[in-house]
Amino acid sequence: MTNADQRPCVAVLASGGGTNLQALIDAAQDPAFPARIGLVLTNMPGAYCLDRAKAAGIPGAVVDHRDYADRPTFEAAVDLTLRDYGAEFVCLAGFMRILTEGFVRAWHDRMLNIHPSLLPKYKGLHTHRRALEAGDDVHGCTVHLVRPELDDGPLILQAEVPVLPGDTEETLQQRVLSREHVIFPQALALVTAGRVEVSGSETRIDGEPGPLRLSWAGE
């Protein structure tokens, strides 16, 4: 498929409502942003992320994992769809499927994920609860390049938020989510503009050791 917009094409994989997807869409609507969102793909028919895509005039596609006998055949269909739409980069924005090593390696250094903790702390689930239980003063979120291991890969950008007295999982989650909406587009811009160099598990951004870290500036 061809498009008059010659910026690199990004596909966003999502399974639900897609607030991080919306942040990416909003950022890429600026012609100065170094990439365009060219596809929203979901494994869940009827997911609200498709409505967000339609409202923005972005193609949406459904590859329902339940239609495939196993993970590799499902991922082969996903990969074919991405390539049919000319995707050059992939963002995972709440895509609730574990990806195999083969798929991850096919998109090596071209697939980004956002995780609600300051990696390498709190890989996996329930990050906000774990931060509260540990008595952390600072929590946050991270955008990283995807590797086959869970929530692993070179770190690009992190944002800190304070853990406040009286915080619950829900209040802390919302504070972190507000920063996710900031750093996911910023990290995508850095990668698609060629400003991120990767060496092993390390990044350099504009020649400086990564990750970049944004401190809390309040609301």
Side-chain angles (χ1 to χ4, degrees):
M1 295 186 181
T2 60
N3 191 294
D5 188 338
Q6 295 301 304
R7 293 177 295 172
C9 177
V10 178
V12 182
L13 274 55
S15 296
T19 60
N20 272 311
L21 164 64
Q22 190 64 54
L24 294 168
I25 290 173
D26 292 345
Q29 287 177 338
D30 182 348
F33 193 83
R36 63 183 176 90
I37 308 302
L39 174 68
V40 174
L41 185 149
T42 184
N43 63 307
M44 297 298 293
Y48 188 62
C49 58
L50 294 172
D51 296 312
R52 293 186 186 275
K54 183 178 180 180
I58 297 169
V62 177
V63 182
D64 190 336
H65 61 279
R66 294 166 292 191
D67 293 339
Y68 297 87
D70 52 33
R71 201 177 303 274
T73 54
F74 163 68
E75 290 182 350
V78 171
D79 187 78
L80 180 61
T81 305
L82 296 177
R83 296 182 190 281
D84 279 348
Y85 279 86
E88 298 169 67
F89 298 89
V90 175
C91 286
L92 304 179
F95 189 62
M96 304 306 290
R97 302 299 297 172
I98 295 174
L99 299 171
T100 67
E101 181 175 350
F103 185 90
V104 172
R105 294 201 183 284
W107 292 90
H108 184 78
D109 286 352
R110 295 185 293 143
M111 184 158 56
L112 291 75
N113 182 51
I114 190 156
H115 183 72
S117 78
L118 295 172
L119 291 172
K121 294 183 71 172
Y122 309 133
K123 296 180 179 182
L125 300 175
H126 309 301
T127 61
H128 312 303
R129 180 191 309 170
R130 291 155 68 189
L132 290 170
E133 289 174 346
D136 290 353
D137 295 323
V138 176
H139 189 40
C141 49
T142 304
V143 182
H144 64 97
L145 293 166
V146 177
R147 294 293 184 263
E149 296 76 19
L150 177 67
D151 297 326
D152 192 33
L155 308 182
I156 302 168
L157 190 55
Q158 297 185 309
E160 299 176 343
V161 304
V163 180
L164 302 178
D167 260 336
T168 64
E169 285 185 63
E170 291 74 22
T171 59
L172 186 55
Q173 176 188 20
Q174 288 304 310
R175 195 174 305 116
V176 171
L177 187 61
S178 72
R179 298 299 92 188
E180 292 180 31
H181 296 162
V182 172
I183 69 168
F184 208 176
Q186 289 183 354
L188 177 61
L190 290 170
V191 171
T192 55
R195 295 169 60 188
V196 179
E197 300 176 31
V198 183
S199 178
S201 62
E202 305 297 325
T203 56
R204 294 186 71 85
I205 299 157
D206 294 332
E208 298 296 325
L212 296 180
R213 181 171 286 196
L214 304 182
S215 297
W216 175 253
E219 291 297 331

